Amino acid sequence: MGNIFTTVIGVSDLDVKDVGEFIDDLRKTSNGGVSIQAVCADAVYGLEHILQALKITIESEKRKIILVDKPEMDLLLRISCTDQISRALKDIGLRNQAPGCFILFSKEKKKLIKVTRRICNTHLKIDDSVLKPNKTKRALICRRLGVQLNKFLSNDDAFTSYLSEKAALLTK
């Protein structure tokens, strides 16, 4: 995306002692050169959902209208379609013993590759199939957002567009 490189990694079963500590260790690997966000895989409605939210975050940062100070937190808010960090963390934050999604982005390709390799070389079960859209995820996301499933939202592309529009409408 422009001069930003990104990697998205799905894991089928996160098994670490402390999720926060694990993410902090990943951040240390890049010496601050890579933004890292990790979310519950059930909150992600496909790769396109993530990429659209990330595009909005990147553009918001360029225009200096980002929701919060850090782009990775802005991304979390946009994926969860809320402007409250505590709610976003509670609703879609990465959980131990559950499928998850790591989203990494950076202007520095080498540092991004280094962190990606670090994730792939751990004992985590890499499985990008946990990112795919499905009816169960759509129902969970609709319930979380308080949206009634209808004919329009039953199409994957339309639902992804709806989530992108909700993400774009978030403002300070």
Side-chain angles (χ1 to χ4, degrees):
M1 287 186 270
N3 64 342
I4 304 289
F5 299 95
T6 187
T7 300
V8 179
I9 302 169
V11 295
S12 61
D13 183 25
L14 185 70
D15 186 17
V16 295
K17 280 186 178 181
D18 183 319
V19 173
E21 190 177 297
F22 180 71
I23 294 170
D24 286 344
D25 285 346
L26 292 175
R27 286 188 177 119
K28 287 176 190 172
T29 302
S30 71
N31 294 324
V34 177
S35 294
I36 301 170
Q37 188 52 262
V39 298
C40 175
D42 287 342
V44 174
Y45 199 72
L47 187 58
E48 192 62 29
H49 175 207
I50 295 168
L51 296 178
Q52 291 300 321
L54 183 56
K55 284 178 187 176
I56 295 165
T57 290
I58 291 167
E59 187 61 31
S60 296
E61 188 175 31
K62 282 182 193 173
R63 295 180 184 202
K64 299 187 186 329
I65 56 171
I66 197 166
L67 295 171
V68 291
D69 292 342
K70 295 183 177 184
E72 58 265 32
M73 289 307 290
D74 185 88
L75 178 63
L76 175 76
L77 295 174
R78 293 188 189 281
I79 290 171
S80 67
C81 299
T82 184
D83 60 0
Q84 298 173 16
I85 293 172
S86 60
R87 182 173 175 203
L89 289 169
K90 180 180 158 247
D91 288 350
I92 73 164
L94 189 63
R95 293 172 184 80
N96 209 6
Q97 307 300 318
C101 172
F102 292 91
I103 306 159
L104 298 79
F105 54 103
S106 177
K107 291 179 180 178
E108 301 177 57
K109 189 176 184 179
K110 287 182 181 181
K111 287 187 176 186
L112 181 72
I113 291 169
K114 184 178 180 181
V115 178
T116 300
R117 283 187 180 142
R118 172 93 164 45
I119 292 171
C120 292
N121 289 332
T122 62
H123 63 281
L124 299 177
K125 298 173 188 161
I126 306 299
D127 181 3
D128 289 337
S129 70
V130 301
L131 307 176
K132 292 182 180 178
N134 60 49
K135 290 179 183 181
T136 303
K137 282 186 180 188
R138 187 170 38 230
L140 286 170
I141 293 169
C142 281
R143 193 172 327 126
R144 180 173 47 82
L145 297 177
V147 175
Q148 187 75 11
L149 270 172
N150 58 41
K151 184 179 177 181
F152 171 73
L153 295 178
S154 65
N155 174 294
D156 284 345
D157 291 335
F159 190 68
T160 303
S161 293
Y162 171 77
L163 293 174
S164 297
E165 287 179 32
K166 287 213 38 111
L169 290 173
L170 292 173
T171 59
K172 279 188 176 183

